């Protein structure tokens, strides 16, 4: 009878591992790079109608019927405003490293409390923003400035408020007499930047425009030092 051959056992140490099928490569979708200009164009809504439902001294409220950029039809209540200016008035005569900033403390009925704020005010219809900032600074504080520079423009609450806020840096301050409006009761102070930052950290500055402008100014100063 023929003898059967015994199967040789493979040594696991020397045996070659079986090749496994490579996982199929998945192609990632290419990122679409849209230019800012095209995004702004695409974001335009189509206004079908607009009705003034309230007209006040400082602003008006409109009920807008529109087609959103996504194609959906909607109705929005919007507070319309001529826009405002904010002035970050800096005094570096005593210290360039820790400049003094013109601040105001006044009662705000809508907030129900006194707030520390930067000088600010509304623009008249068609008024140039820089001219408005110069007017507001002198009216509220008495100060004039030799050097003016635009810093940033932003919307405080764009969900319902159409107010644009333009921020100016004012340097080279010249003191004078303030002549605020009859309904303005303002306490004026010059406060060190470092002290304002401490107030911000402690939560003692609750005014949005003051928070954003002071922190931006401090960030820009730190960036220039590097």
């Amino acid at each position: 009878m023929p003898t059967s051959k015994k199967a040789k056992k493979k040594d696991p140490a020397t045996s070659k591992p079986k090749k496994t099928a490579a996982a199929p490569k998945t192609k990632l979708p290419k990122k679409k790079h849209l230019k800012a200009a095209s995004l702004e164009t695409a974001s335009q809504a189509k206004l079908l109608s607009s009705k003034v439902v309230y007209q006040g001294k400082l602003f008006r409220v409109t009920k807008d019927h529109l087609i959103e950029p996504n194609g959906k039809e909607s109705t929005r209540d919007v507070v319309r405003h001529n826009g405002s200016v904010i002035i970050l008035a800096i005094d570096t005569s005593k210290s360039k490293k820790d400049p003094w900033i013109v601040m105001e403390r006044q009662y705000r009925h809508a907030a129900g409390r006194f707030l520390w704020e930067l000088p600010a005010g509304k623009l008249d219809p068609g008024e140039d923003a820089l001219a408005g900032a110069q007017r507001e600074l002198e009216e509220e504080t008495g100060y004039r400035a030799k050097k003016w520079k635009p810093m940033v423009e932003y919307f405080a609450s764009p969900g319902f408020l159409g107010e644009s806020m333009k921020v100016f840096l004012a340097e080279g301050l010249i003191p004078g007499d303030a002549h605020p409006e009859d309904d303005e009761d303002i306490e004026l102070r010059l406060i060190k930047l470092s002290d304002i930052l401490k107030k911000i950290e402690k939560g003692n500055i609750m005014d949005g425009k003051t928070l954003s402008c002071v922190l931006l100014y401090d960030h820009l100063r730190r960036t220039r030092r590097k």
Side-chain angles (χ1 to χ4, degrees):
M1 292 179 63
T3 57
S4 59
K5 294 182 179 178
K6 292 183 179 180
K8 294 183 179 178
K9 292 183 179 179
K10 294 182 179 179
D11 186 355
T14 57
S15 60
K16 295 181 180 179
K18 293 181 179 179
K19 292 183 179 180
T20 56
K25 294 182 179 179
T26 56
K27 292 184 178 180
L28 296 175
K30 294 181 179 179
K31 293 181 179 180
K32 295 181 180 180
H33 298 281
L34 298 177
K35 294 182 179 179
S38 63
L39 286 173
E40 290 177 2
T41 304
S43 66
Q44 297 300 316
K46 183 179 180 181
L47 184 64
L48 302 177
S49 66
S50 181
K51 180 182 178 181
V52 177
V53 295
Y54 172 78
Q55 179 68 58
K57 181 182 177 181
L58 299 178
F59 60 85
R60 66 189 185 280
V61 180
T62 64
K63 185 174 287 293
D64 294 350
H65 184 202
L66 66 149
I67 297 177
E68 304 275 4
N70 59 13
K72 293 183 179 180
E73 194 170 332
S74 66
T75 300
R76 304 281 186 182
D77 293 331
V78 182
V79 178
R80 298 295 180 185
H81 193 282
N82 291 326
S84 300
V85 286
I86 304 165
I87 305 97
L88 188 63
I90 306 296
D91 181 7
T92 58
S93 61
K94 296 179 181 179
S95 173
K96 291 184 178 180
K97 292 183 178 179
D98 193 8
W100 296 73
I101 297 177
V102 178
M103 293 283 288
E104 300 175 348
R105 183 178 180 268
Q106 57 182 320
Y107 180 76
R108 292 296 193 179
H109 174 63
R113 64 184 68 201
F114 283 89
L115 295 177
W116 282 106
E117 306 177 33
L118 293 175
K122 65 180 179 64
L123 290 170
D124 294 328
E127 184 179 20
D128 176 72
L130 176 58
Q134 293 170 335
R135 171 181 54 77
E136 284 293 335
L137 180 65
E138 187 171 2
E139 284 181 1
E140 292 188 358
T141 71
Y143 281 102
R144 290 180 291 117
K146 297 178 181 178
K147 184 179 178 182
W148 289 84
K149 180 181 178 182
M151 281 186 65
V152 70
E153 179 181 5
Y154 70 95
F155 291 90
S157 188
F160 69 95
L161 178 59
E163 180 185 14
S164 165
M165 308 192 82
K166 297 179 176 66
V167 185
F168 289 90
L169 179 68
E171 298 176 293
L173 301 183
I174 304 170
D177 295 327
H179 41 96
E181 296 182 8
D182 294 336
D183 60 346
E184 293 179 325
D185 186 11
I186 298 172
E187 177 187 342
L188 184 65
R189 286 191 190 178
L190 268 74
I191 305 178
K192 291 180 181 179
L193 172 61
S194 59
D195 290 336
I196 298 176
L197 294 173
K198 289 176 183 177
K199 285 180 177 290
I200 291 175
E201 291 176 0
K202 293 178 180 178
N204 295 332
I205 302 287
M206 301 183 69
D207 175 60
K209 64 180 179 290
T210 304
L211 283 167
S212 57
C213 295
V214 171
L215 291 175
L216 174 61
Y217 173 70
D218 183 59
H219 168 73
L220 293 175
R221 289 178 76 251
R222 293 175 186 273
T223 303
R224 293 192 191 102
R225 291 176 186 175
K226 295 179 180 179

